């Protein structure tokens, strides 16, 4: 038994039709990170950044949760201890798949943030350049996502969860973005059993006790069945 901490990345949403970043033809093959996922890029060309996130927001709104998202929600409901999902993803497929305790460390497409006064509100389907903040009226609205060079959200909470995890699973992440990529080492240091579920071994695969390869819609329900059946 014990607390299960799960880190998910773009791979868990791939079979829902949302692009990953580093697979062939992925988002970083279509756009330069510096241009669309940094504060400097937003300052330089906000229209390009809004275009990038508007397209993803519209696509994510049409996407449906897949068997992997639903299996994690089932695990949260049926496991006798806490199951925490920390996601790098900015889509809401964990929530629409029935999950509750989801920590969006890189923010969400559904959120808007005022770069001037830090006010947060629900983003419209498409954000425009110079969109005024509803509170301070400054034309400084941006997507509420964490860009490179910015501090991910809820880091203290995440490290607390990792320190008390019995099992740590990384699902559908290439293990190339920090600090998320180092969570497996934090979990191991607190004695957690670590498992990676991925289509192919990630950069950090050797840091896991176990690696299960295959599409998430097959490996995740099977893993959850094993955990719940083994109780
Ligand atoms: C920060 C925005 C300070 C939202 C993103 C060392 C320590 C600390 C920082 C750094 C460091 N070294 C470098 C840094 C800086 C930088 C960084 O990591 N750079 C990298 C490129 C080297 N990190 C930062 O700037 C972070 N901030 O460090 O602040 C700090 C320091 C310490 C502690 C606290 C704070 C901020 C990083 C966040 C950047 N924002 N996105 C958005 O646009 O979505 S990152 C971007 O990459 C996405 O958020 C994405 O979630 C994330 C990770 O990518 P993955 O999810 O893994 O996706 P990827 O395509 O790479 O891989 C897909 C995987 O799925 C593959 O493995 C594939 O095999 C698998 N897959 C595919 N299909 C399937 C599948 N698996 C199963 N089934 C399938 N069907």
């Amino acid at each position: 038994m014990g607390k299960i901490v799960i880190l998910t990345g773009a791979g868990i949403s791939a079979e829902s039709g949302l692009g990953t970043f580093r697979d062939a033809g992925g988002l970083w093959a279509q756009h330069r990170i510096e241009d669309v996922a940094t504060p400097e890029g937003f300052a330089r060309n906000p229209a390009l950044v809004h275009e990038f996130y508007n397209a993803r927001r519209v696509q994510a709104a049409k996407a449906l949760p897949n068997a992997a998202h639903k299996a994690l929600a089932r695990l949260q409901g049926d496991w006798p201890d806490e199951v925490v999902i920390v996601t790098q993803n900015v889509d809401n497929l964990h929530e629409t798949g029935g999950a509750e305790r989801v920590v969006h460390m890189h923010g969400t497409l559904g959120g808007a943030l005022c770069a001037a006064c830090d006010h947060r509100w629900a983003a419209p389907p498409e954000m425009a350049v110079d969109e005024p903040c509803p509170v301070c009226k400054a034309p400084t609205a941006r997507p509420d996502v964490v860009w490179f060079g910015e501090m991910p959200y809820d880091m203290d909470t995440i490290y607390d969860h990792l320190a008390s995890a019995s099992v740590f699973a990384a699902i559908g992440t290439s293990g190339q973005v920090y600090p998320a990529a180092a969570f497996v080492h934090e979990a191991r240091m607190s004695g957690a059993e670590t498992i990676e579920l991925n289509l192919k071994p990630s950069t950090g695969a050797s840091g896991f006790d176990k690696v299960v390869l295959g599409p998430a819609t097959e490996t995740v329900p099977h893993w959850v069945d094993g955990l719940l059946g083994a109780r």
Side-chain angles (χ1 to χ4, degrees):
M1 301 303 147
K3 177 190 284 192
I4 300 177
V5 178
I6 299 164
L7 171 71
T8 63
I12 199 169
S13 297
E15 291 163 270
S16 294
L18 298 186
T20 61
F21 293 88
R22 295 170 183 83
D23 290 321
L27 288 167
W28 295 151
Q30 303 160 44
H31 305 273
R32 280 169 18 98
I33 287 179
E34 299 74 16
D35 293 339
V36 296
T38 62
E40 296 79 12
F42 184 68
R44 204 166 43 240
N45 187 345
L48 177 67
V49 174
H50 277 309
E51 185 189 319
F52 175 63
Y53 284 98
N54 286 345
R56 290 175 63 197
R57 191 177 297 107
V58 167
Q59 195 193 20
K62 288 186 277 194
L64 297 174
N66 62 49
H69 297 108
K70 292 173 185 171
L72 294 187
R74 178 160 55 91
L75 182 63
Q76 273 192 332
D78 297 348
W79 187 250
D81 294 306
E82 196 177 0
V83 177
V84 178
I85 298 171
V86 179
T87 187
Q88 300 171 93
N89 300 339
V90 292
D91 63 59
N92 67 349
L93 293 177
H94 282 301
E95 291 86 346
T96 53
E100 280 153 10
R101 291 173 300 289
V102 182
V103 179
H104 280 274
M105 66 180 291
H106 290 167
T108 62
L109 285 169
L113 166 68
C114 174
C117 75
D118 263 357
H119 174 61
R120 285 180 165 81
W121 67 98
E126 304 213 347
M127 294 185 77
V129 178
D130 298 339
E131 182 135 349
C133 164
V135 168
C136 75
K137 308 303 179 205
T140 49
R142 55 167 279 187
D144 188 10
V145 298
V146 176
W147 286 325
F148 286 93
E150 296 185 322
M151 182 70 83
Y153 292 145
D154 302 315
M155 289 308 295
D156 292 343
T157 305
I158 294 168
Y159 285 129
D160 287 347
H161 285 310
L162 293 170
S164 56
S166 297
V167 174
F168 173 77
I171 302 174
T173 179
S174 61
Q176 294 186 40
V177 174
Y178 289 84
F183 288 173
V184 60
H185 308 304
E186 298 287 333
R188 284 181 78 92
M189 280 193 295
S190 50
E193 178 196 328
T194 58
I195 179 171
E196 171 175 88
L197 295 96
N198 199 313
L199 201 55
K200 55 185 188 294
S202 74
T203 313
S206 58
F208 289 84
D209 298 318
K210 194 173 174 194
V211 174
V212 175
L213 298 179
T217 53
E218 290 171 19
T219 59
V220 178
H222 183 71
W223 176 61
V224 168
D225 290 343
L227 283 169
L228 296 177
R231 285 184 307 158

